[in-house]
C-alpha cells in the first residue's frame, strides 16, 4: 500500500502536546498548610464547606488534590449557569401519574455520584447564583437529594464563592444556605505558588481517625459544645440583623450538632475548633468572617 508524503508527515502539534504534558506534570511534598488541613478535616467529617476566595487561587486544584487523595470521584458544577430545575429535578410523566406520582429526574452528575456510592460535589460560583437557584440548592446541601434521587451519605459537598472585589454582581447567600456550611477563607501564599511553579506543591493532608478514640471523642465533643452553649447561650441561635451578616457564618440550632463533628480529638493533628460559632475552622489569614457580598 503506497502512501503520500502527507500520510507520513509528523503531527505538527505533537511536540507542543508533549511540552504541555511535561509542564502539567508535578509532584507533592508534605508541608504545613492550615487551609488545606481545615478543608480536609471538614470534608472528612462530612460537613458542607464553603470556600471564600478570589478567582484563580487554587480552590479547584485543592479539591482535585483532595479527591485524588481520598480516591473518590469529583463532580464540579458551576452553580451560576444553572436553573433551579437542574437541582430540583425535571418532571417525568409516567403512564399513570395519578397513581405513581411525577418523579423529578436528576442531572447526570448526580446519577454518576449515586452510582459510585461516594465522591465530592463542588458547587463553584455559589455567590453568583440567583436566589431561586440557591433555594433549590438548599435541598441538595441539607437533605442530599437532587430531584427524586437521594445522594449516598458518603458524598461530600464543597462550594466556593467569590468576594465582592472580584464579582461586583454577586448576591447575598440566603440565610438557610449560608447556615449549613463551614466557612473557610481561601488565600494563596506567594512562596507556595513560587515553589509550585518549580513543580512541587504541598500535599493535601488526609486525617486518620483512630477507632479506639472515637467513643471518648464523641463524649468530649458533646460535653465541650454543651458547656460552651451553657456559658454563651446567645450563640445557640443568633440570626444577624443585616442581609450581609445573614449570608455569612452564623450559629443556629441546626448548626449546633455539626459542632460535635469537628473537634480535634479523633484526629491527632487537626486544626478544628468546636467552640466557635458555626464550627468555623481557623483560617490562614486569621479573619473571623468571610467577605461580604454587595447586594
Amino acid at each position: 500500500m503506497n502512501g503520500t508524503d502527507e500520510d507520513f508527515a509528523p503531527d505538527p502539534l505533537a511536540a507542543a502536546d508533549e511540552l504541555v504534558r511535561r509542564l502539567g506534570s508535578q509532584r507533592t511534598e508534605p508541608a504545613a498548610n492550615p487551609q488545606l488541613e481545615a478543608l480536609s478535616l471538614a470534608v472528612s467529617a462530612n460537613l458542607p464547606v464553603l470556600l471564600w476566595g478570589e478567582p484563580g487561587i487554587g480552590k479547584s486544584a485543592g479539591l482535585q488534590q483532595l479527591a485524588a487523595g481520598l480516591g473518590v470521584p469529583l463532580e464540579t458544577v458551576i452553580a451560576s449557569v444553572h436553573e433551579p430545575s437542574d437541582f430540583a429535578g425535571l418532571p417525568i410523566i409516567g403512564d399513570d401519574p395519578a397513581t405513581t406520582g411525577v418523579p423529578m429526574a436528576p442531572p447526570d452528575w448526580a446519577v454518576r455520584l449515586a452510582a459510585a456510592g461516594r465522591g465530592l460535589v463542588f458547587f463553584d460560583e455559589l455567590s453568583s447564583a440567583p436566589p431561586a437557584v440557591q433555594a433549590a440548592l438548599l435541598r441538595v446541601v441539607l437533605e442530599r437529594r437532587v430531584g427524586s434521587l437521594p445522594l449516598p451519605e458518603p458524598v461530600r459537598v464543597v462550594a466556593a464563592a467569590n468576594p465582592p472585589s472580584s464579582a461586583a454582581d454577586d448576591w447575598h447567600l440566603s440565610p438557610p444556605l449560608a447556615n449549613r456550611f463551614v466557612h473557610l477563607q481561601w488565600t494563596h501564599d506567594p512562596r507556595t505558588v513560587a515553589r509550585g511553579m518549580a513543580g512541587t506543591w504541598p500535599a493535601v493532608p488526609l486525617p486518620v481517625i483512630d477507632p479506639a478514640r472515637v467513643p471518648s471523642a464523641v463524649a468530649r465533643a458533646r460535653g465541650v459544645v454543651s458547656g460552651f452553649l451553657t456559658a454563651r447561650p446567645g450563640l445557640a441561635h443568633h440570626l444577624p440583623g443585616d442581609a450581609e451578616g445573614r449570608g455569612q457564618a452564623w450559629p443556629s440550632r441546626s448548626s449546633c450538632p455539626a459542632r460535635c463533628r469537628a473537634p480535634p480529638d479523633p484526629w491527632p493533628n487537626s486544626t478544628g475548633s468546636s467552640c466557635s460559632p458555626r464550627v468555623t475552622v481557623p483560617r490562614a489569614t486569621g479573619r473571623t468572617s468571610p467577605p461580604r457580598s454587595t447586594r
Side-chain angles (χ1 to χ4, degrees), residues 77-91 104-111 121 123 129-130 132-140 145-149 151:
V77 181
I78 308 300
S80 59
V81 301
H82 284 274
E83 299 291 333
S85 59
D86 294 332
F87 304 108
L90 292 171
M104 307 297 285
D108 57 350
W109 59 265
V111 173
V121 57
F123 297 117
V133 174
Q134 293 186 27
L137 268 170
L138 178 61
R139 191 169 187 235
V140 180
R145 294 186 69 91
V146 186
S148 297
L149 178 68
L151 293 177

Side-chain angles (χ1 to χ4, degrees), residues 1-270:
M1 179 176 178
N2 295 326
T4 64
D5 291 341
E6 294 180 355
D7 295 331
F8 299 100
D11 183 353
L13 293 178
D17 290 341
E18 175 62 16
L19 175 62
V20 172
R21 187 191 67 80
R22 287 180 177 272
L23 288 174
S25 64
Q26 60 186 28
R27 59 184 181 273
T28 59
E29 63 180 2
N33 191 313
Q35 64 186 12
L36 281 177
E37 293 175 5
L39 171 62
S40 179
L41 175 63
V43 167
S44 296
N46 206 357
L47 295 172
V49 184
L50 177 57
L51 308 178
W52 290 89
E54 300 281 350
I57 59 172
K59 297 188 293 292
S60 298
L63 262 294
Q64 292 171 359
Q65 251 192 297
L66 180 58
L70 294 173
V72 299
L74 171 65
E75 295 284 348
T76 299
V77 181
I78 308 300
S80 59
V81 301
H82 284 274
E83 299 291 333
S85 59
D86 294 332
F87 304 108
L90 292 171
I92 303 297
I93 300 178
D95 296 333
D96 189 3
T99 302
T100 61
V102 179
M104 307 297 285
D108 57 350
W109 59 265
V111 173
R112 288 192 295 267
L113 285 172
R118 58 189 311 193
L120 282 172
V121 57
F122 178 42
F123 297 117
D124 204 0
E125 298 185 9
L126 187 60
S127 56
S128 298
V133 174
Q134 293 186 27
L137 268 170
L138 178 61
R139 191 169 187 235
V140 180
V141 176
L142 179 60
E143 300 180 15
R144 305 297 174 91
R145 294 186 69 91
V146 186
S148 297
L149 178 68
L151 293 177
E153 187 176 350
V155 172
R156 268 65 172 170
V157 176
V158 181
N162 298 323
S165 59
S166 60
D169 60 343
D170 276 8
W171 302 80
H172 292 308
L173 293 187
S174 67
L177 185 61
N179 186 243
R180 295 312 189 270
F181 284 101
V182 172
H183 294 240
L184 298 178
Q185 179 69 27
W186 201 261
T187 61
H188 74 280
D189 181 357
R191 294 171 298 180
T192 299
V193 175
R195 184 155 178 77
M197 292 298 100
T200 302
W201 295 92
V204 176
L206 301 178
V208 178
I209 300 176
D210 183 356
R213 299 173 63 184
V214 168
S216 61
V218 171
R220 177 179 180 274
R222 289 175 172 170
V224 168
V225 172
S226 177
F228 173 75
L229 293 178
T230 299
R232 300 287 298 277
L235 292 179
H237 186 97
H238 179 70
L239 179 64
D242 61 294
E244 294 181 357
R246 291 194 295 268
Q248 301 177 11
W250 55 277
S252 74
R253 169 62 182 83
S254 298
S255 67
C256 287
R259 305 182 189 192
C260 295
R261 293 157 62 180
D265 237 2
W267 296 279
N269 297 313
S270 75

